[in-house]
């Protein structure tokens, strides 16, 4: 009996832990998850500084129409700070340290400058246009808790504090194996009955996109020896993904050989279309996904089952990306008792997402996968969806 979609995904996520931390170069940490709390080692900003190009003045001199003598200049990076005397102004650039006596900065746009003097065109108040020490982040604050996904803003923050190395969860090493006597490698022309092993590339691309480190194991031929050798190698990785050879054909050897190698099968067959014969098992810490071989089925089952597992291994939460709600542009019929993954084109119309079928939904048709920017998940119970009904869509870009 096939198991239900949600059940399959939950069993996979239950089996996936979070990989150990490792030290990574700052730029190699983008898209990864911080493995320990990060506390600010110092105040940000480190000292009071100007928020504008302008003039440092005293509060008593900051009245509209007042004329002040320009007695100094502080560029960004300037370390010499001429004090601001009464009746005087010091020219100051954005980011430059605030000199003694300065109580506010007058932006250059609000002044007129002539012959070494400046005139204020507007009254300002004490503290205006100054960025104060520690106003962004105070020294010691827990700015990034463990579990934070490192996006460009977090990278910016870590860089501001001089962190060239960070502790993040390790990337999963993902072995990828194709199976089948009909397959030839890239660079060869397919002979009679042969096709090129495209799945290994779509899977490697998807693994890399999901933050994993793909390891291409090539092709296992449809005999026991070849399967044993290649699958045994694959079981050394954190995750092993195979494609094809998992249905009920005479030469579908993947599950039998995995069992022989000590993989505990958690399930085989899910009530979904495409992707029904998908199997999942574990050996020690290694997660083993046996995906079907039709290129569309391989890609769709990767999105639905493997990507969430790779996220969980890397500590990304939520492991399952949120679905968007979209309205169907046309009515759809489907078989009941299984979830259907519909390749769709999603567009925004008057603030609402509208999903329309990207065309022929046959599992043999890759073209409509390419035309799709989403996968609508049509629940098992229903067999008909009227145009305008709301469905969950996994957005692919
Ligand atoms: P199987 O499950 O072995 O019967 O394979 C199902 C279908 O997927 C067949 O049409 C295969 O030719 C195709 N297929 C299997 N492996 C690959 C692959 N690596 N790349 C592209 N198509 C494949
Ligand atoms: Mg096969």
């Amino acid at each position: 009996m096939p198991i239900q979609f949600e059940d399959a995904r939950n069993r996979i996520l239950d089996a996936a832990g979070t990989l150990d931390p490792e030290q990574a170069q700052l730029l190699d940490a983008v898209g990864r998850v911080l493995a320990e709390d990060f506390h600010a080692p110092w105040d940000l900003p480190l000292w009071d500084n100007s928020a504008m190009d302008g003039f440092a003045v005293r509060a008593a001199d900051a009245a509209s129409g007042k004329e002040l003598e320009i007695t100094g200049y502080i560029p960004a990076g300037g370390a010499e700070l001429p004090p601001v005397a009464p009746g005087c102004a010091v020219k100051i650039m954005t980011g430059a340290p605030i000199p003694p006596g300065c109580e506010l900065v007058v932006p250059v746009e609000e002044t007129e400058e002539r012959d070494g003097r400046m005139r204020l065109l507007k009254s300002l108040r004490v503290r205006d246009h100054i960025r104060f020490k520690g106003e962004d982040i105070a020294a010691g604050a827990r700015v990034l808790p463990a579990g934070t996904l490192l996006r460009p803003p977090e990278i910016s923050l870590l860089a501001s504090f001089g962190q060239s190395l960070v502790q993040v969860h390790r990337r999963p090493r993902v072995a990828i194996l194709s199976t089948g006597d009909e397959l030839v490698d890239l660079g060869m022309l397919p002979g009679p009955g042969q096709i090129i092993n495209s799945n290994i590339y779509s899977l490697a691309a998807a693994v890399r996109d999901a933050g994993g480190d793909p390891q291409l194991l090539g092709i296992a031929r449809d005999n026991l020896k070849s399967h044993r050798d290649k699958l045994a190698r694959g079981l050394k990785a954190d995750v092993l993904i195979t494609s094809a050879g998992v249905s009920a054909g005479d030469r579908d050897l993947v599950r039998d050989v995995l069992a022989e190698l000590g993989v505990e099968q958690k399930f085989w067959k899910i009530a979904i279309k495409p992707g029904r014969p998908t199997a999942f098992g574990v050996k020690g810490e290694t997660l083993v996904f046996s995906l079907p071989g039709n290129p569309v089925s391989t890609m769709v089952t990767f999105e639905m089952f493997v990507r969430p597992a790779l996220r969980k291994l890397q500590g990304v939460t939520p492991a399952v990306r949120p679905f968007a709600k979209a309205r169907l542009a046309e009515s759809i019929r489907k078989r009941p008792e299984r979830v259907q993954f519909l390749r769709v084109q999603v567009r925004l119309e008057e603030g609402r997402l509208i999903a329309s079928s990207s065309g022929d939904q046959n599992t043999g048709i890759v073209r409509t996968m390419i035309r799709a920017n989403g996968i609508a998940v049509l629940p098992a119970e229903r067999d008909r969806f009227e145009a305008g009904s709301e469905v969950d869509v996994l957005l692919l870009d």
Side-chain angles (χ1 to χ4, degrees), residues 74-131:
I74 312 172
E80 257 171 62
L81 306 182
V84 183
C88 298
V90 169
K91 199 169 208 176
I92 189 166
M93 297 297 113
T94 307
I98 295 297
C102 162
E103 290 165 321
L104 60 98
V105 171
V106 188
V108 72
E109 296 82 352
E110 285 156 19
T111 64
E112 269 173 7
E113 185 182 340
R114 202 183 319 132
D115 304 331
R117 299 180 71 76
M118 64 78 106
R119 198 164 70 89
L120 278 85
L121 303 177
K122 196 183 150 189
S123 297
L124 284 109
R125 286 202 305 253
V126 71
R127 299 172 72 89
D128 278 352
H129 306 297
I130 297 178
R131 302 189 285 218

Side-chain angles (χ1 to χ4, degrees), residues 177 224-236 240 253-264 282-284 288:
L177 177 64
L224 289 170
K225 179 173 182 331
S226 182
H227 270 59
R228 283 180 187 131
D229 292 349
K230 300 272 184 177
L231 289 170
R233 262 189 69 197
L235 288 172
K236 297 195 179 107
L240 167 60
L253 304 174
V254 172
R255 287 186 324 111
D256 286 349
V257 175
L258 285 174
E260 188 188 299
L261 294 171
V263 172
E264 181 198 340
V282 294
K283 182 182 183 187
V288 185

